[in-house]
Amino acid sequence: MKASALRSAIEADRSAIGSYVMMDNAASAGILAHLGYDFIVIDQQHAAIDLRGLQSAVAATKGTSCAPIVRVHPRRPDQIEWALDLGAHGVVVPLVNSPDDALLATQACRYPPVGRRSVAALRNVLERGKEYMRESNDDVVCIIQIEHFEAVECIDEILDIGGIDAVMPGHVDLAMSMGHTIDYGSSVSNAVPDEVAKAMSVIEVACASRSIPVIPVVGSPKEYGSALQKGQKIACCNTDFHLFMSAAASQLAGCKAEEEK
């Protein structure tokens, strides 16, 4: 079985660029995949994407090397199983605030005797090969999100749970938990107050000491460049929602400017 693009990037310590899919259709997932993004994160936590929508979004990546990853709701191992059985190459698990939360996530990603995932991944056997059942425990990517000050306070205990493949800090939620509001609706940016930046550094140092990759959410190529300088080679750059909004606003402004000439 060929390893997923994101798993390969993690194992080889090479760069990979992804994007969130938050719009409730498979078209943007297919566009991003066919443009050459290494992975997409299909957001079931906050977007209006049901199981049929998830199935369509995953299917839209077929024929590309893009790895479909799904962000599920926190503490929902059933959703992790649904996502993986529908063909996702991994999951992003939000609001992991304790070692128990981390264990729940990692065990739902793996078959026994390592984990507690139930066996019924016929779609994966069909599409990725009969080796899937034997090799998936090493292929599925389990990404956890640290996005609350309580999680930062016990970050070492959380990361000592085996099976965590990467950490995606949730800087917007982390800031809110610390009393700061980040402007998220108009754009994606990882600029945060100093207090939050210090908490992010605690996460990064803890990950580095265990060779666990940090996958930041960035809003621009410039922010991705900053991440690269910190050694963070894998990043989730923006969302389809924000990219569409930005491009549409720019085009509208350009048309209005033509009217005024």
Side-chain angles (χ1 to χ4, degrees):
M1 183 182 78
K2 182 179 180 181
S4 74
L6 185 54
R7 168 58 68 187
S8 296
I10 291 172
E11 295 297 331
D13 190 28
R14 62 171 175 80
S15 62
I17 301 171
S19 179
Y20 265 93
V21 171
M22 302 186 73
M23 298 174 72
D24 54 342
N25 63 75
S28 59
I31 290 170
L32 293 168
H34 285 272
L35 281 174
Y37 280 77
D38 297 295
F39 66 98
I40 56 172
V41 179
I42 304 163
D43 191 1
Q44 279 203 297
Q45 183 192 13
H46 292 302
I49 302 174
D50 59 13
L51 282 180
R52 290 190 180 276
L54 172 59
Q55 178 176 268
S56 296
V58 170
T61 67
K62 302 305 179 187
T64 76
S65 61
C66 181
I69 308 296
V70 179
R71 179 159 71 172
V72 298
H73 284 79
R75 293 169 286 281
R76 286 290 301 272
D78 56 329
Q79 285 195 336
I80 293 175
E81 286 198 358
W82 289 339
L84 297 179
D85 285 352
L86 286 174
H89 292 186
V91 293
V92 172
V93 182
L95 291 172
V96 172
N97 294 337
S98 69
D100 286 344
D101 289 346
L103 184 62
L104 194 67
T106 58
Q107 290 203 332
C109 286
R110 274 94 191 189
Y111 292 121
V114 179
R116 294 179 177 273
R117 182 182 173 189
S118 180
V119 178
L122 299 180
R123 185 185 303 272
N124 292 294
V125 173
L126 177 65
E127 297 180 353
R128 302 193 68 196
K130 60 184 180 181
E131 302 88 359
Y132 182 83
M133 304 306 299
R134 292 192 301 272
E135 300 179 8
S136 63
N137 279 359
D138 295 324
D139 183 73
V140 167
V141 178
C142 182
I143 304 167
I144 66 167
Q145 289 198 278
I146 302 297
E147 43 189 347
H148 196 280
F149 74 86
E150 292 177 353
V152 178
E153 291 175 350
C154 62
I155 187 64
D156 291 316
E157 292 86 348
I158 289 173
L159 296 184
D160 283 341
I161 296 296
I164 298 171
D165 295 302
V167 171
M168 183 180 289
H171 59 283
V172 177
D173 281 276
L174 178 59
M176 289 287 284
S177 79
M178 300 175 72
H180 303 281
T181 301
I182 305 296
D183 180 12
Y184 175 70
S186 60
S187 66
V188 174
S189 173
N190 60 12
V192 294
D194 289 343
E195 180 187 17
V196 181
K198 290 178 181 177
M200 297 279 284
S201 295
V202 171
I203 298 170
E204 293 167 359
V205 169
C207 287
S209 68
R210 295 165 175 80
S211 298
I212 296 175
V214 172
I215 302 179
V217 178
V218 301
S220 67
K222 182 178 180 180
E223 288 188 350
Y224 179 51
S226 298
L228 286 172
Q229 290 178 0
K230 295 167 67 174
Q232 297 168 355
K233 298 179 182 180
I234 304 173
C236 201
C237 190
N238 231 311
T239 77
D240 57 351
F241 178 89
H242 290 94
L243 287 171
F244 178 83
M245 184 168 61
S246 176
S250 177
Q251 177 169 276
L252 178 60
C255 290
K256 294 291 186 181
E258 290 298 318
E259 289 180 350
E260 297 171 0
K261 287 183 178 179

